[in-house]
PDB file of all heavy atoms in Angstrom:
ATOM      1  N   SER A  40      28.433 -52.729   9.804  1.00  0.00           N
ATOM      2  CA  SER A  40      28.011 -53.987   9.046  1.00  0.00           C
ATOM      3  C   SER A  40      28.996 -55.071   9.043  1.00  0.00           C
ATOM      4  O   SER A  40      28.642 -56.265   9.079  1.00  0.00           O
ATOM      5  CB  SER A  40      27.667 -53.571   7.481  1.00  0.00           C
ATOM      6  OG  SER A  40      28.742 -53.073   6.898  1.00  0.00           O
ATOM      7  N   HIS A  41      30.279 -54.774   9.047  1.00  0.00           N
ATOM      8  CA  HIS A  41      31.282 -55.800   9.184  1.00  0.00           C
ATOM      9  C   HIS A  41      32.715 -55.115   9.380  1.00  0.00           C
ATOM     10  O   HIS A  41      32.836 -53.904   9.600  1.00  0.00           O
ATOM     11  CB  HIS A  41      31.332 -56.537   7.755  1.00  0.00           C
ATOM     12  CG  HIS A  41      31.979 -55.691   6.658  1.00  0.00           C
ATOM     13  ND1 HIS A  41      31.070 -54.847   5.989  1.00  0.00           N
ATOM     14  CD2 HIS A  41      33.087 -55.769   5.889  1.00  0.00           C
ATOM     15  CE1 HIS A  41      31.862 -54.249   5.055  1.00  0.00           C
ATOM     16  NE2 HIS A  41      32.923 -54.855   4.861  1.00  0.00           N
ATOM     17  N   ALA A  42      33.799 -55.997   9.603  1.00  0.00           N
ATOM     18  CA  ALA A  42      35.035 -55.492  10.258  1.00  0.00           C
ATOM     19  C   ALA A  42      35.879 -54.866   9.366  1.00  0.00           C
ATOM     20  O   ALA A  42      37.034 -54.694   9.827  1.00  0.00           O
ATOM     21  CB  ALA A  42      35.427 -56.614  11.163  1.00  0.00           C
ATOM     22  N   HIS A  43      35.688 -54.708   8.083  1.00  0.00           N
ATOM     23  CA  HIS A  43      36.626 -54.182   7.241  1.00  0.00           C
ATOM     24  C   HIS A  43      36.880 -52.652   7.658  1.00  0.00           C
ATOM     25  O   HIS A  43      35.974 -51.976   8.030  1.00  0.00           O
ATOM     26  CB  HIS A  43      36.223 -54.163   5.869  1.00  0.00           C
ATOM     27  CG  HIS A  43      36.527 -55.548   5.141  1.00  0.00           C
ATOM     28  ND1 HIS A  43      35.821 -56.044   4.040  1.00  0.00           N
ATOM     29  CD2 HIS A  43      37.422 -56.444   5.354  1.00  0.00           C
ATOM     30  CE1 HIS A  43      36.415 -57.151   3.757  1.00  0.00           C
ATOM     31  NE2 HIS A  43      37.317 -57.449   4.499  1.00  0.00           N
ATOM     32  N   SER A  44      38.228 -52.232   7.479  1.00  0.00           N
ATOM     33  CA  SER A  44      38.496 -51.110   8.306  1.00  0.00           C
ATOM     34  C   SER A  44      37.864 -49.824   7.625  1.00  0.00           C
ATOM     35  O   SER A  44      37.703 -48.671   8.227  1.00  0.00           O
ATOM     36  CB  SER A  44      39.997 -50.972   8.313  1.00  0.00           C
ATOM     37  OG  SER A  44      40.595 -51.115   7.021  1.00  0.00           O
ATOM     38  N   ASP A  45      37.469 -49.915   6.365  1.00  0.00           N
ATOM     39  CA  ASP A  45      36.755 -48.768   5.733  1.00  0.00           C
ATOM     40  C   ASP A  45      35.510 -48.477   6.354  1.00  0.00           C
ATOM     41  O   ASP A  45      34.753 -47.571   6.124  1.00  0.00           O
ATOM     42  CB  ASP A  45      36.701 -48.865   4.281  1.00  0.00           C
ATOM     43  CG  ASP A  45      36.164 -50.163   3.749  1.00  0.00           C
ATOM     44  OD1 ASP A  45      36.191 -51.156   4.466  1.00  0.00           O
ATOM     45  OD2 ASP A  45      35.531 -50.164   2.597  1.00  0.00           O
ATOM     46  N   HIS A  46      34.870 -49.454   7.212  1.00  0.00           N
ATOM     47  CA  HIS A  46      33.560 -49.377   7.768  1.00  0.00           C
ATOM     48  C   HIS A  46      33.615 -48.986   9.195  1.00  0.00           C
ATOM     49  O   HIS A  46      32.577 -48.902   9.865  1.00  0.00           O
ATOM     50  CB  HIS A  46      32.801 -50.590   7.579  1.00  0.00           C
ATOM     51  CG  HIS A  46      32.379 -50.862   6.217  1.00  0.00           C
ATOM     52  ND1 HIS A  46      31.121 -50.632   5.615  1.00  0.00           N
ATOM     53  CD2 HIS A  46      33.082 -51.265   5.155  1.00  0.00           C
ATOM     54  CE1 HIS A  46      31.092 -50.825   4.344  1.00  0.00           C
ATOM     55  NE2 HIS A  46      32.163 -51.268   4.040  1.00  0.00           N
ATOM     56  N   HIS A  95      29.620 -61.817   3.287  1.00  0.00           N
ATOM     57  CA  HIS A  95      30.861 -61.194   2.793  1.00  0.00           C
ATOM     58  C   HIS A  95      32.016 -61.637   3.444  1.00  0.00           C
ATOM     59  O   HIS A  95      33.045 -62.091   2.699  1.00  0.00           O
ATOM     60  CB  HIS A  95      30.609 -59.624   2.893  1.00  0.00           C
ATOM     61  CG  HIS A  95      31.647 -58.751   2.704  1.00  0.00           C
ATOM     62  ND1 HIS A  95      32.299 -58.636   1.372  1.00  0.00           N
ATOM     63  CD2 HIS A  95      32.298 -57.825   3.418  1.00  0.00           C
ATOM     64  CE1 HIS A  95      33.289 -57.696   1.369  1.00  0.00           C
ATOM     65  NE2 HIS A  95      33.291 -57.291   2.633  1.00  0.00           N
ATOM     66  N   ILE A  96      32.189 -61.398   4.786  1.00  0.00           N
ATOM     67  CA  ILE A  96      33.185 -62.067   5.676  1.00  0.00           C
ATOM     68  C   ILE A  96      32.465 -62.558   6.913  1.00  0.00           C
ATOM     69  O   ILE A  96      31.328 -62.280   7.028  1.00  0.00           O
ATOM     70  CB  ILE A  96      34.355 -61.079   5.982  1.00  0.00           C
ATOM     71  CG1 ILE A  96      33.759 -59.913   6.816  1.00  0.00           C
ATOM     72  CG2 ILE A  96      35.012 -60.569   4.694  1.00  0.00           C
ATOM     73  CD1 ILE A  96      34.790 -58.947   7.393  1.00  0.00           C
ATOM     74  N   SER A  99      29.597 -60.594   8.862  1.00  0.00           N
ATOM     75  CA  SER A  99      29.066 -59.553   8.010  1.00  0.00           C
ATOM     76  C   SER A  99      27.601 -59.594   8.018  1.00  0.00           C
ATOM     77  O   SER A  99      26.944 -60.629   7.880  1.00  0.00           O
ATOM     78  CB  SER A  99      29.737 -59.490   6.583  1.00  0.00           C
ATOM     79  OG  SER A  99      29.237 -60.618   5.944  1.00  0.00           O
ATOM     80  N   GLY A 115      24.982 -53.409   3.359  1.00  0.00           N
ATOM     81  CA  GLY A 115      26.390 -53.558   3.540  1.00  0.00           C
ATOM     82  C   GLY A 115      27.101 -54.201   2.424  1.00  0.00           C
ATOM     83  O   GLY A 115      26.416 -54.428   1.430  1.00  0.00           O
ATOM     84  N   ASP A 116      28.286 -54.592   2.466  1.00  0.00           N
ATOM     85  CA  ASP A 116      28.979 -55.327   1.414  1.00  0.00           C
ATOM     86  C   ASP A 116      28.384 -56.809   1.689  1.00  0.00           C
ATOM     87  O   ASP A 116      28.314 -57.322   2.748  1.00  0.00           O
ATOM     88  CB  ASP A 116      30.481 -55.542   1.722  1.00  0.00           C
ATOM     89  CG  ASP A 116      31.111 -54.150   1.559  1.00  0.00           C
ATOM     90  OD1 ASP A 116      30.538 -53.213   0.960  1.00  0.00           O
ATOM     91  OD2 ASP A 116      32.386 -54.068   1.808  1.00  0.00           O
ATOM     92  N   PHE A 117      28.057 -57.464   0.473  1.00  0.00           N
ATOM     93  CA  PHE A 117      27.465 -58.838   0.525  1.00  0.00           C
ATOM     94  C   PHE A 117      27.935 -59.628  -0.681  1.00  0.00           C
ATOM     95  O   PHE A 117      28.498 -59.137  -1.603  1.00  0.00           O
ATOM     96  CB  PHE A 117      25.982 -58.728   0.524  1.00  0.00           C
ATOM     97  CG  PHE A 117      25.275 -58.240  -0.710  1.00  0.00           C
ATOM     98  CD1 PHE A 117      24.813 -59.272  -1.598  1.00  0.00           C
ATOM     99  CD2 PHE A 117      25.213 -56.929  -0.972  1.00  0.00           C
ATOM    100  CE1 PHE A 117      24.153 -58.902  -2.748  1.00  0.00           C
ATOM    101  CE2 PHE A 117      24.428 -56.585  -2.182  1.00  0.00           C
ATOM    102  CZ  PHE A 117      24.061 -57.595  -3.043  1.00  0.00           C
ATOM    103  N   GLU A 139      25.219 -51.721  -1.793  1.00  0.00           N
ATOM    104  CA  GLU A 139      26.498 -51.615  -2.338  1.00  0.00           C
ATOM    105  C   GLU A 139      26.308 -52.064  -3.919  1.00  0.00           C
ATOM    106  O   GLU A 139      25.495 -53.042  -4.234  1.00  0.00           O
ATOM    107  CB  GLU A 139      27.539 -52.280  -1.627  1.00  0.00           C
ATOM    108  CG  GLU A 139      27.356 -53.883  -1.700  1.00  0.00           C
ATOM    109  CD  GLU A 139      28.500 -54.715  -2.388  1.00  0.00           C
ATOM    110  OE1 GLU A 139      29.143 -53.973  -3.314  1.00  0.00           O
ATOM    111  OE2 GLU A 139      28.699 -55.764  -2.035  1.00  0.00           O
ATOM    112  N   THR A 180      41.543 -59.761   6.646  1.00  0.00           N
ATOM    113  CA  THR A 180      40.248 -60.096   7.178  1.00  0.00           C
ATOM    114  C   THR A 180      39.342 -60.542   6.164  1.00  0.00           C
ATOM    115  O   THR A 180      38.818 -59.636   5.482  1.00  0.00           O
ATOM    116  CB  THR A 180      39.739 -58.950   8.132  1.00  0.00           C
ATOM    117  OG1 THR A 180      40.746 -58.575   9.072  1.00  0.00           O
ATOM    118  CG2 THR A 180      38.392 -59.448   8.843  1.00  0.00           C
ATOM    119  N   ASP A 279      34.936 -61.436  -2.473  1.00  0.00           N
ATOM    120  CA  ASP A 279      34.025 -61.648  -1.464  1.00  0.00           C
ATOM    121  C   ASP A 279      32.793 -60.633  -1.594  1.00  0.00           C
ATOM    122  O   ASP A 279      32.070 -60.273  -0.680  1.00  0.00           O
ATOM    123  CB  ASP A 279      34.567 -61.334   0.042  1.00  0.00           C
ATOM    124  CG  ASP A 279      35.435 -60.134  -0.058  1.00  0.00           C
ATOM    125  OD1 ASP A 279      35.408 -59.288  -0.879  1.00  0.00           O
ATOM    126  OD2 ASP A 279      36.348 -60.072   0.985  1.00  0.00           O
ATOM    127  N   HIS A 280      32.518 -60.131  -2.836  1.00  0.00           N
ATOM    128  CA  HIS A 280      31.379 -59.448  -3.187  1.00  0.00           C
ATOM    129  C   HIS A 280      30.520 -60.287  -4.198  1.00  0.00           C
ATOM    130  O   HIS A 280      31.107 -60.903  -4.964  1.00  0.00           O
ATOM    131  CB  HIS A 280      31.727 -58.077  -3.857  1.00  0.00           C
ATOM    132  CG  HIS A 280      32.435 -57.140  -2.932  1.00  0.00           C
ATOM    133  ND1 HIS A 280      31.618 -56.192  -2.205  1.00  0.00           N
ATOM    134  CD2 HIS A 280      33.664 -56.926  -2.414  1.00  0.00           C
ATOM    135  CE1 HIS A 280      32.413 -55.457  -1.423  1.00  0.00           C
ATOM    136  NE2 HIS A 280      33.703 -55.920  -1.589  1.00  0.00           N
TER     137      HIS A 280
HETATM  138 ZN1   ZN B  19      34.024 -55.183   3.005  1.00  0.00          ZN
END
Side-chain angles (χ1 to χ4, degrees):
S40 63
H41 65 289
H43 278 155
S44 50
D45 54 331
H46 290 258
H95 172 58
I96 64 169
S99 62
D116 289 355
F117 71 95
E139 62 119 333
T180 305
D279 47 19
H280 288 266

